[in-house]
Amino acid sequence: MQAQVDAMERAVQTAYSAFIKHPQLCGPCRKEGADCPEAARLRQAWRNARAAVAA
C-alpha cells in the first residue's frame, strides 16, 4: 500500500516539475505570460495527479 502511495506522490512531483519547467523552454509561454496548449495539458496532468492522490 505504501509503495502505491509513494508512486502516486512521485507522479505528482513529476507532473509538477514538467509543468514548471515548460515555460522556461517555451517561447510563447515566456513572451505572452500565458499557458500555451502544451502548458495547459501539463497543468491538467498535474491537477489530475494531485486529485488521484487526494482520492
Side-chain angles (χ1 to χ4, degrees):
M1 184 66 170
Q2 185 61 39
Q4 183 180 9
V5 171
D6 291 345
M8 291 172 69
E9 289 177 0
R10 278 193 306 274
V12 171
Q13 289 303 315
T14 299
Y16 178 74
S17 179
F19 170 64
I20 292 300
K21 289 178 182 178
H22 174 79
Q24 298 170 359
L25 305 172
C26 177
C29 285
R30 280 195 325 259
K31 292 176 186 170
E32 297 173 20
D35 289 353
C36 73
E38 178 66 9
R41 185 191 67 76
L42 292 169
R43 180 188 302 267
Q44 189 60 50
W46 172 47
R47 286 178 178 162
N48 293 347
R50 285 189 318 178
V53 168

